[in-house]
Amino acid sequence: MSSQNILLEDFNQAPFSSIKTSDYKPAILKAIELAQKDIEAITSSKEEPTFENTIEALEFSGKKLDRVTSIFFNINSAETNEEIQKIAQDVSPLLSEFKNDIILNNVLFKRVKKVYNRRESMDLNKEQTTLLDQKYKAFTRNGANLPSEGQQALREIDKKLSKLKLQFGENVLAETNKYELVVTEESRLGGLPDSFKEEARNIAKSKDTEGWIISLEYPSYIPFMKYADDRELRKELSLAFGSRAFKGDELDNQQIVLDIAKLRYERAKLLGFDSHAHFVLEERMAETPQKVESFLEEMLEKARPAAEREFSQLEKFAKELDQIDTLQKWDSAYYAEKLKQKLFDLDDEKLKPYFQLEKVIDGVFTIAGKLYGLNFEQTTNVDVYHQNVRTYNVTDTLGNDIALFYADFHPRPGKRDGAWMTIYKQQSIENGQNERPHISIVCNFTKPTEKQPSLLTFNEVTTLFHEFGHALHGMLANTTYPSLSGANVYWDFVELPSQVLENWCYEEEALQLFAKHYKTGEAIPQEYITKIKESSNFLEGMATLRQLSFGMLDLSWHAQDPSNVSDVKSHEIEAFEPTKLFPDVASNCMSTAFSHIFQGGYSAGYYSYKWAEVLDADAFEYFTENGIFSKDIADKFKDNILSQGGTEHPMELYKRFRGKEPKPDALLRRAGLISK
């Protein structure tokens, strides 16, 4: 039987080219069965529960299921189709049910509880103590102490949520894919770079369409909003982007948003928490919604005056330039870019020739080598799920195998937008064998054309560094237990490794390594580096306000009882009021396409981007005080943060690296919101 389904065979690297779509569901069903046997082996044991025969055995159970589902759900994000989406809809409730079968297994919980109650008398190290604590909490935080009717209600909620979250994401992807702005007159493309127009024409040709096609995918949408002189077209595209899944049709997410928010609240109340945010934040550095609200309010107090000044400056500039009376959302990126060019004489079109994708990749590899002693060697011997995926063997200075690294850089119809890091195989140590991880980053960068290679905007450069920072967290993991390995950390700590690496993009010493003209090979001029640094705070108040608004919207859905919310849009308007700068657009809604909180893992956690910025600014200040390539500081970061995963409370790890707790001053200084 197994020989007919490659996913049920033993493999190290994911055997993508041998997998048939029809293999996934049977493999997942069989893997659930195997995982159930692992659990039965623990619960049927006549031996007294110990850390080894219960906690460790539970940790290493279901390995086949973990591998198969990681492959499947990663493919569902990066290379999906209707058949795969249908399978996801079928298997998600089954996986949710299986997870609940474990969490609500009373015999298993009794064994875990026995070990937990004896923890003081056991000689456990810090990682073992953390694992025991997490396993126990996994039960208690998910209904193990509930009566049977409460447990049954929890199962029903989890099944519904797993399907709703999938449907939410599928609707957003379908909305993104179905929209096209077809332009037939080149005169309406004024202001757009030639490379952009060439790509838009190529898309049109590939669809047997006359003219140029602009889509809602980021490499198409963002440059258009930034450079297109035609205000009406910018408006049309902006309205299409902002109204995704908010049209009252079969792809509408309004009811799904309401249902998800209400089900999460019900679930939290069932478990004895005041709200979903209270439930989530118990396992975060921030600890409570009140602390998050205080943090957001403190940042808002510092950012709002700067944001209002910047908005007035931008509005005045647009009026002087084009007699724009009221600055609208579709004007923001366009006039910001024009003002930036005026103030700094710098734009992406000047910078892009120095940021050829291949050279930026080499640059980030070189920086990882200088900091952490890593070597990256491209290989074509690794199976991939799409021809555009690149693979690299990662080794250390002694030639030891560190990781396998996949990189997928360009948009496709079956790929969701945005950028993310993911894992195909977790690092762990079992029976003395250190299993090294298989890590992937997935992005949606500007494609190469017939005339030139893929040239990145500076924003795409920082995105690549950001995702690669996450990848380093996965690659350098060196823990015993997979659930504590790599990026398996508190959610408001997970962005530290990614955001801290972005800082190198602004440093001359780093830029000189890779920012070289794709035609001439000349290094990026010093004046450009100076301007990149000078412009890094440009409209930072407005950018901060925008991030805070997303965090506040997230909390508005999750930190209180949403039962009385019947209108998604009016709820959103109220949540955005403290951060509002632009006039509201009636046909647009953020919540219906806010995948981070309604599909991804950021519910009650969107604040963590800003929270992690406090950590990253403080951490990078430590580097700059000692040299950005200081081996001593890099070793401290690697030994105390990157390699440790979630083995201890993140504040303890951070203090061991930095010698003290972080303060927001470094971030506020970097953002220009307080004086140096």
Side-chain angles (χ1 to χ4, degrees), residues 227-352:
Y227 295 114
D229 294 333
D230 192 316
R231 194 182 187 209
E232 282 306 308
L233 288 183
R234 289 202 313 272
K235 178 180 178 181
E236 186 178 332
L237 198 66
S238 173
L239 292 178
F241 189 86
S243 63
R244 287 178 303 163
F246 185 60
K247 299 188 185 75
D249 57 11
E250 72 282 357
L251 296 176
D252 189 279
N253 274 340
Q254 290 176 83
Q255 191 58 49
I256 291 176
V257 164
L258 294 171
D259 289 348
I260 289 174
K262 287 169 186 174
L263 285 167
R264 283 172 173 165
Y265 177 74
E266 278 176 41
R267 189 182 194 281
K269 291 298 282 184
L270 199 55
L271 293 167
F273 292 88
D274 288 344
S275 73
H276 179 67
H278 286 84
F279 170 77
V280 167
L281 293 167
E282 186 186 59
E283 293 288 278
R284 299 286 193 267
M285 290 178 81
E287 298 174 331
T288 67
Q290 289 73 27
K291 270 196 193 174
V292 174
E293 282 164 8
S294 297
F295 170 70
L296 294 175
E297 287 294 336
E298 183 188 354
M299 295 299 291
L300 180 61
E301 193 183 322
K302 298 285 194 307
R304 176 105 208 170
E308 287 173 343
R309 281 195 305 273
E310 291 163 1
F311 186 77
S312 294
Q313 180 190 21
L314 196 60
E315 200 160 41
K316 186 181 171 199
F317 175 71
K319 190 171 181 66
E320 286 171 1
L321 198 66
D322 289 328
Q323 291 74 54
I324 300 294
D325 287 326
T326 305
L327 205 63
Q328 300 285 356
K329 288 179 180 175
W330 46 87
D331 298 318
S332 179
Y334 179 76
Y335 287 106
E337 186 63 22
K338 285 269 190 284
L339 182 57
K340 188 177 178 182
Q341 287 174 31
K342 182 187 173 187
L343 296 177
F344 304 103
D345 188 26
L346 186 72
D347 64 48
D348 276 330
E349 290 312 297
K350 278 185 179 169
L351 294 177
K352 278 169 70 175

Side-chain angles (χ1 to χ4, degrees), residues 258 262 562-568 570:
L258 294 171
K262 287 169 186 174
S563 305
N564 296 326
V565 180
S566 56
D567 188 294
V568 174
S570 35

